[in-house]
Amino acid sequence: DAYIAGSDGQAYCSQECAKAGGQTHWATTNSVSPAYVSDVLNGRRDPGESITRALGYRREVKYVPDHWEHQDATKKDSSK
């Protein structure tokens, strides 16, 4: 399945706004505040649930292990 990562969400939202005839029209059509859409498009806010759902996505935050931190911890443990 396709997914959007990082600033790609901002770019995708911008494309969808352009297809709809502008960010105000897209926002109104999708029951989202035009000011909020403007903040997302200008990088002042991350897209939240209302925008990601309107784009046909859901927001998912992931925490992954830091390879270097894990490697350092392994070295410390192996010296015991």
Side-chain angles (χ1 to χ4, degrees):
D1 292 339
Y3 65 92
I4 298 173
S7 62
D8 293 343
Q10 181 183 358
Y12 185 63
C13 185
S14 179
Q15 290 171 356
E16 292 302 303
C17 287
K19 287 181 192 175
Q23 68 190 51
T24 301
H25 186 263
W26 186 87
T28 304
T29 301
N30 290 287
S31 302
V32 179
S33 160
Y36 178 35
V37 173
S38 178
D39 284 348
V40 169
L41 295 178
N42 288 295
R44 291 186 293 267
R45 295 177 70 181
D46 290 330
E49 185 176 349
S50 60
I51 288 182
T52 54
R53 283 187 187 265
L55 294 171
Y57 286 84
R58 71 170 192 257
R59 186 169 186 224
E60 188 174 286
V61 178
K62 293 183 180 183
Y63 296 90
V64 296
D66 184 339
H67 174 70
W68 299 109
E69 290 292 324
H70 179 70
Q71 188 176 35
D72 290 344
T74 304
K75 286 180 186 177
K76 289 176 188 173
D77 289 343
S78 65
S79 64
K80 291 181 181 179

Coordinates of all heavy atoms in Angstrom, one line a residue:
D1 N 0.8 -1.2 0.0 CA 0.0 0.0 0.0 C 0.9 1.3 0.0 O 1.9 1.3 0.6 CB -0.9 0.0 1.2 CG -2.0 -1.1 1.2 OD1 -2.2 -1.6 0.0 OD2 -2.5 -1.4 2.2
A2 N 0.4 2.3 -0.6 CA 1.1 3.6 -0.6 C 0.9 4.3 0.7 O -0.1 4.2 1.4 CB 0.5 4.4 -1.8
Y3 N 1.9 5.0 1.0 CA 1.9 5.9 2.2 C 2.6 7.2 2.0 O 3.3 7.3 1.0 CB 2.5 5.1 3.5 CG 3.9 4.9 3.3 CD1 4.9 5.8 3.8 CD2 4.4 3.7 2.7 CE1 6.2 5.5 3.7 CE2 5.8 3.5 2.6 CZ 6.7 4.4 3.1 OH 8.0 4.1 3.0
I4 N 2.3 8.1 2.8 CA 2.9 9.5 2.7 C 3.8 9.6 3.9 O 3.4 9.4 5.1 CB 1.9 10.6 2.7 CG1 0.9 10.4 1.5 CG2 2.5 11.9 2.7 CD1 -0.3 11.4 1.6
A5 N 5.0 10.1 3.7 CA 6.0 10.2 4.8 C 6.5 11.7 4.9 O 6.7 12.3 3.8 CB 7.2 9.3 4.7
G6 N 6.6 12.2 6.1 CA 7.2 13.5 6.3 C 6.5 14.6 5.5 O 5.3 14.7 5.5
S7 N 7.3 15.5 4.9 CA 6.7 16.6 4.2 C 6.0 16.3 2.9 O 5.3 17.1 2.3 CB 7.9 17.6 3.8 OG 8.8 17.0 2.9
D8 N 5.9 15.0 2.5 CA 5.1 14.5 1.4 C 3.6 14.8 1.7 O 2.9 15.0 0.8 CB 5.3 13.1 1.1 CG 6.7 12.7 0.6 OD1 7.4 13.7 0.2 OD2 7.1 11.6 0.6
G9 N 3.2 14.8 2.9 CA 1.8 15.0 3.3 C 1.5 16.5 2.9 O 0.4 16.7 2.4
Q10 N 2.4 17.4 3.2 CA 2.2 18.8 2.9 C 2.1 18.9 1.3 O 1.1 19.6 0.8 CB 3.3 19.6 3.4 CG 3.2 21.1 3.1 CD 4.5 21.8 3.6 OE1 5.4 21.3 4.2 NE2 4.5 23.1 3.4
A11 N 2.9 18.3 0.6 CA 2.9 18.4 -0.9 C 1.6 17.8 -1.4 O 1.0 18.3 -2.4 CB 4.1 17.7 -1.5
Y12 N 1.2 16.6 -0.9 CA 0.0 16.0 -1.3 C -1.2 16.8 -1.1 O -2.1 17.0 -1.9 CB -0.1 14.6 -0.7 CG -1.3 13.8 -1.2 CD1 -1.3 13.4 -2.5 CD2 -2.4 13.4 -0.4 CE1 -2.4 12.6 -3.0 CE2 -3.4 12.7 -0.9 CZ -3.4 12.3 -2.2 OH -4.5 11.6 -2.7
C13 N -1.3 17.4 0.1 CA -2.4 18.3 0.4 C -2.4 19.5 -0.5 O -3.5 19.9 -1.0 CB -2.2 18.8 1.9 SG -3.6 19.8 2.5
S14 N -1.3 20.0 -0.9 CA -1.2 21.1 -1.8 C -1.7 20.7 -3.2 O -2.5 21.5 -3.8 CB 0.3 21.6 -1.9 OG 0.4 22.7 -2.8
Q15 N -1.4 19.5 -3.6 CA -1.8 19.0 -4.9 C -3.4 18.9 -4.9 O -4.0 19.2 -5.9 CB -1.2 17.7 -5.2 CG 0.3 17.7 -5.6 CD 0.9 16.3 -5.7 OE1 0.2 15.3 -5.4 NE2 2.2 16.3 -6.0
E16 N -3.9 18.3 -3.8 CA -5.3 18.1 -3.7 C -6.1 19.5 -3.7 O -7.2 19.6 -4.3 CB -5.7 17.3 -2.5 CG -5.2 15.8 -2.7 CD -5.8 15.1 -3.9 OE1 -7.0 15.1 -4.0 OE2 -5.0 14.7 -4.7
C17 N -5.5 20.4 -3.0 CA -6.1 21.8 -3.0 C -6.1 22.4 -4.4 O -7.1 23.0 -4.8 CB -5.3 22.7 -2.0 SG -5.6 22.3 -0.3
A18 N -5.0 22.2 -5.1 CA -5.0 22.7 -6.5 C -6.0 22.1 -7.4 O -6.7 22.7 -8.2 CB -3.6 22.5 -7.1
K19 N -6.2 20.7 -7.2 CA -7.2 20.0 -8.0 C -8.6 20.5 -7.7 O -9.5 20.5 -8.6 CB -7.1 18.5 -7.7 CG -6.0 17.8 -8.3 CD -6.0 16.3 -7.9 CE -4.8 15.6 -8.2 NZ -4.8 14.2 -7.7
A20 N -8.8 20.9 -6.5 CA -10.2 21.3 -6.0 C -10.4 22.8 -6.4 O -11.6 23.3 -6.2 CB -10.3 21.2 -4.5
G21 N -9.4 23.5 -6.9 CA -9.6 24.9 -7.2 C -9.2 25.9 -6.2 O -9.5 27.0 -6.2
G22 N -8.4 25.4 -5.3 CA -7.8 26.3 -4.2 C -8.0 25.7 -2.8 O -8.8 24.9 -2.6
Q23 N -7.1 26.2 -1.9 CA -7.1 25.7 -0.6 C -8.4 26.0 0.2 O -8.9 25.2 0.9 CB -5.9 26.1 0.2 CG -5.8 27.6 0.5 CD -4.5 27.9 1.1 OE1 -3.4 27.6 0.5 NE2 -4.4 28.6 2.2
T24 N -9.0 27.2 -0.1 CA -10.2 27.6 0.6 C -11.4 26.6 0.2 O -12.1 26.2 1.0 CB -10.6 29.0 0.4 OG1 -9.5 29.8 0.9 CG2 -11.9 29.4 1.1
H25 N -11.5 26.4 -1.1 CA -12.5 25.5 -1.6 C -12.3 24.1 -1.1 O -13.3 23.4 -0.7 CB -12.6 25.5 -3.2 CG -13.7 24.8 -3.7 ND1 -13.6 23.5 -4.1 CD2 -15.0 25.1 -3.9 CE1 -14.8 23.1 -4.6 NE2 -15.7 24.0 -4.4
W26 N -11.1 23.6 -1.1 CA -10.8 22.2 -0.6 C -11.2 22.2 0.8 O -11.8 21.2 1.3 CB -9.4 21.9 -0.9 CG -9.1 20.4 -0.5 CD1 -9.2 19.3 -1.3 CD2 -8.7 20.0 0.8 NE1 -8.9 18.2 -0.6 CE2 -8.5 18.6 0.7 CE3 -8.4 20.6 2.0 CZ2 -8.1 17.8 1.8 CZ3 -8.0 19.8 3.1 CH2 -7.9 18.4 3.0
A27 N -10.8 23.2 1.6 CA -11.0 23.2 3.1 C -12.5 23.2 3.3 O -13.0 22.3 4.1 CB -10.4 24.4 3.7
T28 N -13.3 24.0 2.7 CA -14.7 24.1 2.9 C -15.4 22.8 2.5 O -16.3 22.3 3.2 CB -15.3 25.3 2.1 OG1 -14.6 26.5 2.5 CG2 -16.8 25.5 2.3
T29 N -15.0 22.3 1.4 CA -15.6 21.0 0.9 C -15.4 19.9 1.8 O -16.2 19.0 2.0 CB -15.0 20.7 -0.5 OG1 -15.3 21.7 -1.4 CG2 -15.6 19.4 -1.1
N30 N -14.3 19.9 2.5 CA -13.9 18.8 3.4 C -14.1 19.2 4.9 O -13.6 18.5 5.8 CB -12.4 18.4 3.2 CG -12.3 17.7 1.9 OD1 -12.7 16.6 1.7 ND2 -11.7 18.4 0.9
S31 N -14.9 20.2 5.2 CA -15.2 20.6 6.6 C -13.9 20.8 7.4 O -13.9 20.4 8.6 CB -16.1 19.6 7.2 OG -17.3 19.5 6.5
V32 N -12.9 21.5 6.8 CA -11.7 21.8 7.5 C -11.5 23.3 7.5 O -11.9 23.9 6.5 CB -10.5 21.1 6.9 CG1 -9.2 21.4 7.6 CG2 -10.7 19.6 6.8
S33 N -11.0 23.9 8.5 CA -10.8 25.3 8.6 C -9.8 25.7 7.5 O -8.7 25.2 7.4 CB -10.2 25.7 10.0 OG -9.6 26.9 9.9
P34 N -10.1 26.7 6.7 CA -9.1 27.2 5.7 C -7.8 27.7 6.3 O -6.8 27.5 5.8 CB -9.9 28.4 5.0 CG -11.3 28.0 5.2 CD -11.4 27.4 6.5
A35 N -7.9 28.3 7.5 CA -6.7 28.8 8.2 C -5.8 27.6 8.6 O -4.6 27.7 8.5 CB -7.1 29.6 9.5
Y36 N -6.5 26.5 9.0 CA -5.7 25.3 9.4 C -5.0 24.7 8.2 O -3.8 24.4 8.2 CB -6.7 24.3 10.0 CG -6.1 23.0 10.4 CD1 -4.8 22.8 10.9 CD2 -6.8 21.8 10.3 CE1 -4.3 21.6 11.2 CE2 -6.3 20.6 10.6 CZ -5.1 20.5 11.1 OH -4.6 19.3 11.5
V37 N -5.7 24.7 7.0 CA -5.1 24.2 5.8 C -3.9 25.1 5.4 O -2.9 24.6 5.0 CB -6.1 24.1 4.7 CG1 -5.5 23.7 3.3 CG2 -7.2 23.1 5.0
S38 N -4.1 26.4 5.5 CA -3.0 27.3 5.2 C -1.8 27.1 6.1 O -0.7 27.0 5.7 CB -3.5 28.7 5.4 OG -2.5 29.7 5.2
D39 N -2.1 26.8 7.4 CA -0.9 26.5 8.3 C -0.2 25.3 7.9 O 1.0 25.2 8.0 CB -1.5 26.4 9.8 CG -1.8 27.7 10.4 OD1 -1.4 28.8 9.9 OD2 -2.5 27.7 11.5
V40 N -0.9 24.2 7.5 CA -0.3 23.0 7.1 C 0.5 23.2 5.8 O 1.7 22.8 5.7 CB -1.4 21.9 6.9 CG1 -0.8 20.7 6.2 CG2 -2.0 21.5 8.2
L41 N -0.1 23.9 4.9 CA 0.6 24.1 3.6 C 1.9 25.0 3.7 O 2.8 24.9 3.0 CB -0.3 24.8 2.6 CG -1.5 23.9 2.1 CD1 -2.4 24.6 1.2 CD2 -1.0 22.6 1.5
N42 N 1.9 25.8 4.7 CA 3.0 26.7 5.0 C 4.0 26.2 6.0 O 4.9 26.9 6.5 CB 2.5 28.1 5.4 CG 1.9 28.8 4.2 OD1 2.7 29.1 3.2 ND2 0.6 29.1 4.2
G43 N 3.7 24.9 6.5 CA 4.7 24.3 7.4 C 4.6 24.7 8.8 O 5.5 24.4 9.6
R44 N 3.5 25.4 9.2 CA 3.4 25.9 10.6 C 2.8 24.8 11.5 O 2.9 24.8 12.7 CB 2.6 27.2 10.6 CG 3.3 28.4 10.0 CD 2.5 29.7 10.2 NE 1.3 29.7 9.5 CZ 1.1 30.2 8.3 NH1 2.2 30.7 7.6 NH2 -0.1 30.2 7.7
R45 N 2.0 23.9 10.9 CA 1.4 22.8 11.6 C 1.5 21.5 10.8 O 1.6 21.6 9.6 CB -0.1 23.1 11.9 CG -0.3 24.3 12.8 CD -1.7 24.6 12.9 NE -2.4 23.6 13.7 CZ -3.7 23.7 14.0 NH1 -4.5 24.6 13.6 NH2 -4.3 22.7 14.8
D46 N 1.5 20.4 11.5 CA 1.4 19.1 10.8 C 0.0 18.8 10.5 O -0.9 19.2 11.3 CB 2.0 18.0 11.7 CG 3.5 18.1 11.9 OD1 4.2 18.6 11.0 OD2 4.0 17.7 12.9
P47 N -0.3 18.0 9.4 CA -1.7 17.7 9.2 C -2.2 16.7 10.2 O -1.5 15.7 10.5 CB -1.6 17.0 7.8 CG -0.2 16.7 7.5 CD 0.6 17.6 8.4
G48 N -3.3 17.0 10.8 CA -3.9 16.2 11.8 C -5.0 15.3 11.2 O -5.1 15.1 10.0
E49 N -5.8 14.7 12.1 CA -6.8 13.8 11.7 C -7.8 14.3 10.6 O -8.1 13.6 9.7 CB -7.6 13.2 12.9 CG -8.6 12.1 12.5 CD -9.3 11.6 13.8 OE1 -8.9 11.9 14.9 OE2 -10.2 10.8 13.6
S50 N -8.3 15.5 10.8 CA -9.3 16.0 9.9 C -8.7 16.2 8.5 O -9.4 15.9 7.5 CB -9.9 17.4 10.3 OG -8.8 18.3 10.5
I51 N -7.5 16.6 8.3 CA -6.9 16.7 7.0 C -6.5 15.4 6.4 O -6.7 15.1 5.3 CB -5.7 17.7 7.0 CG1 -6.2 19.1 7.2 CG2 -4.9 17.6 5.8 CD1 -5.2 20.2 7.2
T52 N -5.9 14.5 7.3 CA -5.4 13.2 6.7 C -6.6 12.4 6.3 O -6.6 11.7 5.3 CB -4.6 12.5 7.7 OG1 -5.2 12.4 9.0 CG2 -3.2 13.2 8.0
R53 N -7.7 12.4 7.0 CA -8.9 11.7 6.6 C -9.5 12.3 5.3 O -9.9 11.5 4.5 CB -10.0 11.7 7.7 CG -9.7 10.8 8.8 CD -10.9 10.7 9.8 NE -10.5 9.9 11.0 CZ -10.8 8.7 11.1 NH1 -11.4 8.0 10.2 NH2 -10.5 8.0 12.2
A54 N -9.5 13.6 5.2 CA -10.0 14.2 4.0 C -9.1 13.8 2.8 O -9.6 13.7 1.6 CB -10.0 15.7 4.1
L55 N -7.9 13.5 3.0 CA -7.0 13.1 1.9 C -7.0 11.6 1.7 O -6.4 11.1 0.8 CB -5.5 13.5 2.3 CG -5.2 15.0 2.3 CD1 -3.8 15.2 2.9 CD2 -5.4 15.6 1.0
G56 N -7.8 10.9 2.5 CA -7.9 9.4 2.4 C -6.9 8.6 3.1 O -6.6 7.5 2.8
Y57 N -6.3 9.3 4.1 CA -5.2 8.6 4.9 C -5.5 8.7 6.4 O -6.5 9.3 6.8 CB -3.9 9.3 4.6 CG -3.3 9.0 3.3 CD1 -3.6 9.7 2.2 CD2 -2.3 8.0 3.2 CE1 -3.1 9.4 0.9 CE2 -1.8 7.6 1.9 CZ -2.2 8.4 0.8 OH -1.7 8.1 -0.4
R58 N -4.7 8.0 7.2 CA -4.8 8.2 8.6 C -3.4 8.5 9.1 O -2.4 8.0 8.5 CB -5.4 7.0 9.3 CG -4.5 5.8 9.3 CD -5.0 4.7 10.3 NE -4.0 3.7 10.5 CZ -4.0 2.5 9.9 NH1 -5.0 2.2 9.1 NH2 -3.0 1.7 10.1
R59 N -3.3 9.2 10.2 CA -1.9 9.6 10.7 C -1.5 8.5 11.6 O -2.2 8.0 12.5 CB -2.0 10.9 11.5 CG -0.7 11.3 11.9 CD -0.8 12.8 12.5 NE 0.6 13.2 12.8 CZ 0.9 13.9 13.8 NH1 0.0 14.2 14.7 NH2 2.1 14.3 14.1
E60 N -0.3 8.0 11.4 CA 0.3 7.0 12.2 C 1.7 7.4 12.6 O 2.6 7.6 11.8 CB 0.4 5.7 11.4 CG 0.8 4.5 12.2 CD 0.6 3.2 11.3 OE1 -0.5 2.8 11.1 OE2 1.7 2.7 10.9
V61 N 2.0 7.5 13.9 CA 3.3 7.9 14.4 C 4.0 6.6 14.8 O 3.5 5.7 15.5 CB 3.2 8.8 15.6 CG1 4.5 9.2 16.1 CG2 2.4 10.1 15.2
K62 N 5.3 6.5 14.4 CA 6.1 5.3 14.7 C 7.3 5.7 15.4 O 7.9 6.7 15.1 CB 6.4 4.5 13.5 CG 5.3 3.9 12.8 CD 5.8 3.1 11.6 CE 4.6 2.5 10.9 NZ 5.0 1.6 9.8
Y63 N 7.7 4.9 16.4 CA 9.0 5.1 17.1 C 9.8 3.8 16.8 O 9.3 2.7 17.0 CB 8.8 5.2 18.6 CG 8.0 6.5 19.0 CD1 6.6 6.4 19.1 CD2 8.7 7.6 19.2 CE1 5.9 7.6 19.4 CE2 8.0 8.8 19.5 CZ 6.6 8.8 19.6 OH 5.9 9.9 19.9
V64 N 11.0 4.0 16.2 CA 11.8 2.9 15.8 C 13.1 3.0 16.6 O 13.6 4.1 17.0 CB 12.1 2.9 14.3 CG1 10.8 2.7 13.6 CG2 12.7 4.2 13.9
P65 N 13.8 1.9 16.9 CA 15.0 1.9 17.6 C 16.1 2.6 16.9 O 16.2 2.5 15.6 CB 15.4 0.4 17.8 CG 14.5 -0.4 16.9 CD 13.4 0.5 16.5
D66 N 16.9 3.4 17.6 CA 18.0 4.0 17.0 C 19.2 3.0 16.9 O 19.6 2.5 18.0 CB 18.4 5.2 17.9 CG 19.6 6.0 17.3 OD1 20.3 5.5 16.5 OD2 19.7 7.2 17.7
H67 N 19.6 2.7 15.8 CA 20.6 1.6 15.5 C 21.8 1.9 16.4 O 22.4 1.0 17.0 CB 20.9 1.6 14.1 CG 22.1 0.6 13.8 ND1 21.9 -0.7 13.9 CD2 23.3 0.8 13.4 CE1 23.0 -1.3 13.6 NE2 23.9 -0.4 13.3
W68 N 22.3 3.1 16.4 CA 23.5 3.4 17.1 C 23.4 3.3 18.6 O 24.2 2.8 19.3 CB 24.1 4.8 16.7 CG 24.3 4.8 15.3 CD1 23.6 5.5 14.3 CD2 25.4 4.1 14.6 NE1 24.2 5.3 13.1 CE2 25.2 4.4 13.2 CE3 26.4 3.3 15.0 CZ2 26.1 3.9 12.2 CZ3 27.2 2.8 14.0 CH2 27.1 3.1 12.7
E69 N 22.2 3.7 19.2 CA 22.0 3.6 20.6 C 21.9 2.1 21.0 O 22.4 1.7 22.0 CB 20.7 4.3 21.0 CG 20.7 5.8 20.9 CD 21.7 6.4 22.0 OE1 21.7 5.9 23.1 OE2 22.3 7.4 21.7
H70 N 21.2 1.4 20.2 CA 21.1 -0.1 20.4 C 22.4 -0.7 20.4 O 22.7 -1.6 21.2 CB 20.1 -0.7 19.4 CG 19.9 -2.2 19.6 ND1 19.2 -2.7 20.7 CD2 20.3 -3.2 18.9 CE1 19.2 -4.0 20.6 NE2 19.9 -4.3 19.5
Q71 N 23.2 -0.4 19.4 CA 24.6 -1.0 19.3 C 25.4 -0.7 20.5 O 26.1 -1.5 21.0 CB 25.2 -0.4 18.0 CG 26.5 -1.1 17.7 CD 27.1 -0.6 16.4 OE1 27.0 0.5 16.0 NE2 27.7 -1.5 15.6
D72 N 25.4 0.6 21.0 CA 26.1 1.0 22.2 C 25.7 0.2 23.4 O 26.5 -0.3 24.2 CB 26.0 2.5 22.4 CG 26.8 3.3 21.4 OD1 27.6 2.7 20.7 OD2 26.5 4.5 21.3
A73 N 24.4 0.0 23.5 CA 23.8 -0.7 24.7 C 24.3 -2.2 24.6 O 24.6 -2.8 25.7 CB 22.3 -0.6 24.7
T74 N 24.3 -2.8 23.4 CA 24.7 -4.2 23.3 C 26.2 -4.3 23.7 O 26.6 -5.3 24.4 CB 24.6 -4.6 21.8 OG1 23.2 -4.4 21.4 CG2 24.9 -6.1 21.6
K75 N 27.0 -3.4 23.3 CA 28.5 -3.4 23.7 C 28.6 -3.4 25.2 O 29.4 -4.1 25.8 CB 29.2 -2.3 23.0 CG 29.5 -2.4 21.6 CD 30.2 -1.2 21.0 CE 30.4 -1.3 19.5 NZ 31.0 -0.2 19.0
K76 N 27.8 -2.5 25.9 CA 27.9 -2.4 27.3 C 27.5 -3.7 28.0 O 28.1 -4.1 28.9 CB 27.0 -1.2 27.8 CG 27.6 0.1 27.4 CD 26.6 1.2 27.9 CE 27.1 2.6 27.3 NZ 26.1 3.6 27.6
D77 N 26.4 -4.3 27.5 CA 25.9 -5.5 28.1 C 26.8 -6.7 27.9 O 27.0 -7.5 28.7 CB 24.5 -5.9 27.5 CG 23.4 -4.9 27.9 OD1 23.6 -4.2 28.9 OD2 22.4 -4.9 27.2
S78 N 27.6 -6.7 26.8 CA 28.4 -7.8 26.5 C 29.7 -7.8 27.3 O 30.4 -8.8 27.4 CB 28.8 -7.9 25.0 OG 29.5 -6.7 24.6
S79 N 30.0 -6.7 27.9 CA 31.2 -6.6 28.7 C 31.0 -7.1 30.2 O 31.9 -7.2 30.9 CB 31.7 -5.1 28.8 OG 30.8 -4.3 29.4
K80 N 29.8 -7.5 30.5 CA 29.5 -8.0 31.8 C 29.9 -9.4 32.0 O 29.9 -10.2 31.2 CB 28.0 -7.9 32.2 CG 27.6 -6.4 32.3 CD 26.1 -6.3 32.6 CE 25.7 -4.9 32.7 NZ 24.3 -4.8 33.0

